[in-house]
Amino acid sequence: MRIDKYLWSTRYFKTRNIATEACKKGHIRINDQVVKPSREVYPLDKVVVRKNQINYEFTVLDVPESRVGAKLVDIYRKDTTPKEAFEHNELLKFSKDYYRKKGTGRPTKKDRRDIDGYLDEEAE
């Protein structure tokens, strides 16, 4: 089975077209080689999929006939993604929420309260 079809059938991508585009952009690696969408996938291949700034790693166990249900995906692959990949993504999420470049836009209500609290402490 082609790698783009395999990624679509094991629910890594919503559509086959998105899986094909990921292959063309170099986000898919099989056995540490960047692959084209037409590359055949075989059992025991080690696949790395870069999606949403996370490198998902898994080993192909079997090739499905067609797209499978979410509960049956684990029959066809063994997930070996390290936990650190997800923890790093959580840290990025927190940093994006709080960080705002200096001088961009008005201060938020929270920023305003922090500034007022800082000025009150200095005045005392």
Side-chain angles (χ1 to χ4, degrees):
M1 179 181 279
R2 293 168 50 115
I3 184 63
D4 60 342
K5 189 173 181 181
Y6 178 83
L7 292 171
W8 167 76
S9 63
T10 54
R11 299 187 168 267
Y12 274 95
F13 292 100
K14 189 173 184 179
T15 65
R16 189 157 162 203
N17 191 33
I18 296 170
T20 304
E21 288 299 317
C23 291
K24 287 179 182 176
K25 290 179 182 176
H27 296 283
I28 312 299
R29 300 173 75 86
I30 297 178
N31 300 328
D32 294 326
Q33 290 184 331
V34 176
V35 295
K36 293 180 178 180
S38 60
R39 166 71 152 71
E40 292 290 318
V41 67
Y42 301 104
L44 301 179
D45 279 345
K46 304 239 183 274
V47 182
V48 177
V49 177
R50 176 116 176 122
K51 183 178 171 190
N52 298 331
Q53 296 185 342
I54 297 177
N55 286 332
Y56 295 96
E57 300 173 16
F58 61 93
T59 305
V60 177
L61 297 178
D62 197 9
V63 179
E65 292 292 319
S66 62
R67 190 164 167 97
V68 295
K71 293 180 180 177
L72 302 176
V73 169
D74 289 332
I75 297 171
Y76 299 103
R77 58 125 170 114
K78 182 179 182 221
D79 193 10
T80 57
T81 306
K83 299 287 184 226
E84 295 84 42
F86 297 108
E87 291 168 3
H88 177 70
N89 200 30
E90 290 295 319
L91 292 174
L92 280 175
K93 193 184 299 181
F94 288 128
S95 66
K96 285 180 185 176
D97 286 344
Y98 186 73
Y99 181 71
R100 182 169 51 90
K101 288 188 179 176
K102 186 174 180 178
T104 56
R106 293 175 60 170
T108 62
K109 198 172 195 177
K110 183 181 182 327
D111 292 338
R112 188 87 229 150
R113 288 182 181 145
D114 290 342
I115 292 167
D116 289 342
Y118 176 74
L119 293 175
D120 288 345
E121 286 175 13
E122 259 187 23
E124 293 173 2

